[in-house]
Amino acid sequence: MGRKPRFGDDDFLDAALRVAARAGAAGVTMAAVAAEAAAPVGSVYHRFASRDLLLARLWVRTVQRFQEPFLAALADPDPERGADRAIRAVLDWAREHPDQARVLLLHRREDLVAHWPNELGRDPAGINDALREALRAYTRARFGRVSPAGLERVTFALVDVPYAALRRHLGAGRTPPRSIEAAALAASRAALSH
């Protein structure tokens, strides 16, 4: 029976996340990740054949972790309550996971991953399919149909507003304060009510 590995994928992804949140995408090298995890560099390469693979896996994991509470909140059968819950889900998630929020909101996928690794075997553009469909479903529930103008309002209210509320704080390395919630909710409600 072989020994249990001392370091798993998540250990290195968590280390890469901390490095990226602190030093940006350029700071994420295999050596920096190994040092952050207190592991040999060879252990990182054993789990991830390339830096692009490591960062792509980090990106996918972070997007999935972010989208899960947002999509669950937005699916509320009451559209007004669903919008409020979705805004709160984004703000709460960013406060609870500031490093993940910083990486997700301050860096585009293209800034992190130069070449999408073949090992992941899927088009990265498809990662937001569930989000796009949820926004369309919400638009239909809120306005009775999906029109370009309605979808634009919903996207502004539920994506752009919380992004704007978080970006300044995350960019400055601060955990977003609870005080921004009331303003974000008011802005979102106003955008959806006109």
Side-chain angles (χ1 to χ4, degrees):
M1 180 183 283
R3 287 185 312 170
K4 182 180 175 191
R6 185 169 166 213
F7 300 99
D9 289 3
D10 281 332
D11 294 316
F12 295 125
L13 292 173
D14 291 342
L17 173 69
R18 291 190 299 271
V19 173
R22 186 175 60 241
V28 181
T29 64
M30 299 301 249
V33 170
E36 182 71 25
V41 174
S43 294
V44 182
Y45 278 105
H46 178 72
R47 295 270 174 188
F48 301 95
S50 69
R51 176 183 181 274
D52 278 342
L53 180 59
L54 173 70
L55 286 171
R57 288 270 312 277
L58 175 61
W59 179 257
V60 168
R61 186 184 79 165
T62 305
V63 168
Q64 290 170 338
R65 287 179 174 181
F66 164 75
Q67 286 183 0
E68 186 176 316
F70 178 80
L71 295 175
L74 196 58
D76 191 297
D78 179 301
E80 289 185 25
R81 188 174 58 216
D84 284 358
R85 287 184 59 213
I87 294 291
R88 286 187 179 105
V90 171
L91 300 179
D92 289 346
W93 185 84
R95 278 191 293 270
E96 292 166 16
H97 310 284
D99 286 349
Q100 290 181 69
R102 201 167 287 116
V103 167
L104 188 62
L105 297 179
L106 301 181
H107 301 289
R108 296 177 315 137
R109 177 192 55 81
E110 296 83 3
D111 296 335
L112 291 172
V113 184
H115 304 285
W116 194 255
N118 292 332
E119 294 94 328
L120 291 184
R122 74 181 249 195
D123 178 3
I127 197 165
N128 288 317
D129 287 351
L131 174 63
R132 280 189 284 275
E133 187 48 45
L135 292 172
R136 290 180 63 79
Y138 181 85
T139 302
R140 190 176 299 106
R142 181 80 187 215
F143 300 119
R145 68 187 183 101
V146 179
S147 68
L151 187 56
E152 181 62 31
R153 282 174 59 190
V154 165
T155 302
F156 177 80
L158 300 178
V159 176
D160 297 340
V161 167
Y163 176 81
L166 294 169
R167 185 170 176 77
R168 179 170 46 95
H169 299 286
L170 294 171
R174 297 188 305 262
T175 298
R178 289 209 171 271
S179 60
I180 64 174
E181 185 173 295
L185 286 168
S188 176
R189 290 170 184 160
L192 290 170
S193 67
H194 288 85

